[in-house]
């Protein structure tokens, strides 16, 4: 099949344009956040995860099909050996407008400058609390100071934008939302609050009981900050507000209280090479099998990607108060 037969954009059966790919380059992580993983996790053997060359090959195929934004995530992407080299190669794909990264920040102090040089435009850094003991308790293994140093290094490297991602759990860190926004304002960065999603079985807490809605967070913040509603969209599910007299935007990712599926523009590639059409469903295509069965055949690969649009579900199936139907933990797909 010649190149000209391919559509220049991926469109699903609901007419949504898919131009954003998230790639989990590893399921491994140096943290064990209580909402993301069970304490005792088994990770995939190396042979089962995509090689860096395979990830590069897949990224090129998606870019040729109109994907203009790629987010590298994990697991913790920066603990994978060769992550920087991969980012450098991805940064050279001309049609990609945005190469961005989500990280827990633990490795940023030593990698921020190299990431900027590789062409990473923006970074999301997870930070749920500013209290060192609580940070240790939520991440199970993390060190707050290391992450704060990482954020400082990222600031010095002058990315286009930095954003904090905070998952808010009732009676855990919900009373810290004002402090987190103040931290973002002081550092001239953005922040998004995320409602916990029921992905994978965890025993550490009851997800229904820990639910703290975006509306509750918004009214907590309104007591201290003036939030100005913004019509600005960043190509994601966040609803944005500007904090008056600052450059900080506050976003709310509300899978439970505000369904955003009708605007979905993204698909996700898991560490083991499964193209996941929706975070809250299991519809997927095994792209690893396709590239390993047809090495170097980009025509077959691209046709599989185009065909996958036919099984992208209309919306997620998260049910907060029931046992999760989605057994994969967030580290498989990268949030
Ligand atoms: N390790 C990196 C990090 O923590 O930023 C990247 C991967 S992590 C899975 C991506 C994002 O997903 C993080 O902001 C994390 O807080 C969020 N996350 C993890 N599990 C979640 C869950 N069950 N519900 C909502 N967000 C979750
Ligand atoms: Fe690791 Fe990120 Fe999951 Fe925390 S949220 S365990 S840092 S992958």
């Amino acid at each position: 099949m010649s190149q000209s037969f391919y559509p220049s954009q991926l469109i699903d059966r609901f007419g949504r344009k898919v131009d954003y790919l998230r790639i989990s380059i590893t399921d491994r992580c140096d943290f064990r956040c209580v909402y993301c993983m069970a304490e005792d996790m088994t990770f995939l053997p190396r042979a089962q995860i995509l090689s860096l060359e395979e990830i590069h090959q897949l990224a090129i195929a998606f870019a040729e099909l109109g994907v203009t934004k790629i987010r590298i995530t994990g697991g913790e992407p920066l603990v994978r050996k060769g992550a920087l080299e991969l980012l450098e190669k991805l940064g050279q794909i001309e049609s990609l407008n945005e190469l961005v990264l989500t990280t827990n920040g633990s490795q940023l102090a030593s990698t921020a400058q190299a990431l900027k040089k590789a062409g990473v435009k923006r970074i999301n850094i997870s930070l749920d609390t500013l209290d060192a003991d609580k940070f240790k308790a939520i991440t199970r293994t993390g060190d707050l100071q290391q992450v704060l140093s990482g954020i400082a290094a990222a600031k010095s490297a002058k990315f286009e934008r930095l954003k904090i991602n905070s998952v808010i759990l009732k009676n855990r860190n919900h009373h810290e939302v004002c402090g987190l926004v103040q931290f973002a304002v002081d550092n001239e960065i953005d922040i998004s609050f995320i409602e916990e999603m029921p992905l994978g079985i965890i025993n550490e807490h009851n997800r229904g009981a820990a639910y703290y809605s975006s509306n509750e967070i918004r009214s907590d913040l309104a007591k201290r900050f003036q939030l100005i509603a913004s019509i600005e969209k960043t190509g994601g599910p966040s609803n944005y507000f500007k904090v008056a007299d600052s450059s900080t935007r506050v976003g709310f990712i509300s899978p439970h209280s505000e369904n955003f599926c009708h605007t979905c523009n993204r698909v996700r590639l898991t560490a083991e090479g499964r193209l996941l059409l929706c975070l809250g469903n299991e519809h997927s295509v095994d792209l690893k099998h396709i590239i390993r069965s047809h090495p170097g055949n980009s025509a077959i690969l691209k046709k599989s990607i185009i065909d996958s649009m036919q099984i992208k579900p209309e919306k997620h199936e998260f049910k907060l108060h029931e046992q999760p139907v989605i057994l994969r933990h967030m580290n498989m797909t990268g949030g």
Side-chain angles (χ1 to χ4, degrees), residues 35-226:
Y35 44 74
C36 177
M37 294 191 184
E39 186 158 24
D40 197 13
M41 292 286 289
T42 310
F43 295 106
L44 294 167
R46 177 50 67 95
Q48 233 165 290
I49 66 167
L50 291 172
S51 68
L52 298 174
E53 292 70 29
E54 287 168 335
I55 295 172
H56 184 225
Q57 188 189 336
L58 283 159
I60 290 172
F62 276 95
E64 287 175 0
L65 291 171
V67 163
T68 55
K69 174 173 176 180
I70 290 184
R71 177 174 300 281
I72 295 301
T73 175
E76 175 44 45
L78 299 179
V79 300
R80 176 146 186 197
K81 214 164 147 236
L84 274 172
E85 289 77 3
L86 171 68
L87 281 156
E88 261 166 35
K89 280 171 127 186
L90 298 180
Q92 285 161 23
I93 301 177
E94 264 183 30
S95 58
L96 266 193
N97 298 333
E98 288 183 273
L99 177 61
V100 295
L101 175 77
T102 301
T103 171
N104 64 21
S106 68
Q107 313 297 312
L108 271 182
S110 58
T111 55
Q113 295 287 350
L115 289 168
K116 177 78 185 359
K117 205 159 154 246
V120 174
K121 295 272 192 321
R122 290 182 287 113
I123 302 189
N124 290 353
I125 305 160
S126 298
L127 180 70
D128 305 320
T129 171
L130 292 164
D131 175 300
D133 293 334
K134 223 179 286 169
F135 188 87
K136 175 71 93 191
I138 291 177
T139 60
R140 292 195 180 102
T141 58
D143 173 19
L144 176 64
Q145 205 44 55
Q146 198 179 339
V147 172
L148 295 180
S149 306
I151 294 173
K155 271 191 72 182
S156 306
K158 299 205 181 325
F159 290 92
E160 277 176 15
R161 262 199 125 89
L162 296 178
K163 179 162 79 82
I164 301 292
N165 274 346
S166 300
V167 175
I168 299 301
L169 308 179
K170 189 174 189 164
N171 295 329
R172 197 81 178 245
N173 60 347
H174 81 262
H175 41 272
E176 282 201 61
V177 293
C178 286
L180 286 163
V181 168
Q182 191 61 55
F183 175 83
V185 168
D186 293 345
N187 284 284
E188 301 175 320
I189 57 186
D190 294 335
I191 181 162
S192 274
F193 292 106
I194 307 174
E195 290 178 352
E196 184 182 9
M197 300 172 213
L199 293 170
I201 295 187
I202 54 160
N203 298 318
E204 200 266 352
H205 62 275
N206 176 317
R207 284 182 153 138
Y211 176 54
Y212 200 69
S213 72
S214 294
N215 274 340
E216 291 170 285
I217 300 173
R218 231 177 340 245
S219 56
D220 293 346
L221 295 179
K223 290 175 194 145
R224 186 156 143 197
F225 300 97
Q226 189 192 350

Side-chain angles (χ1 to χ4, degrees), residues 27-37 74-77 103-104 126 138-139 330-331 334:
D27 61 332
R28 286 165 201 258
C29 187
D30 48 348
F31 292 2
R32 297 282 183 280
C33 301
V34 294
Y35 44 74
C36 177
M37 294 191 184
E76 175 44 45
T103 171
N104 64 21
S126 298
I138 291 177
T139 60
M330 191 67 126
N331 65 309

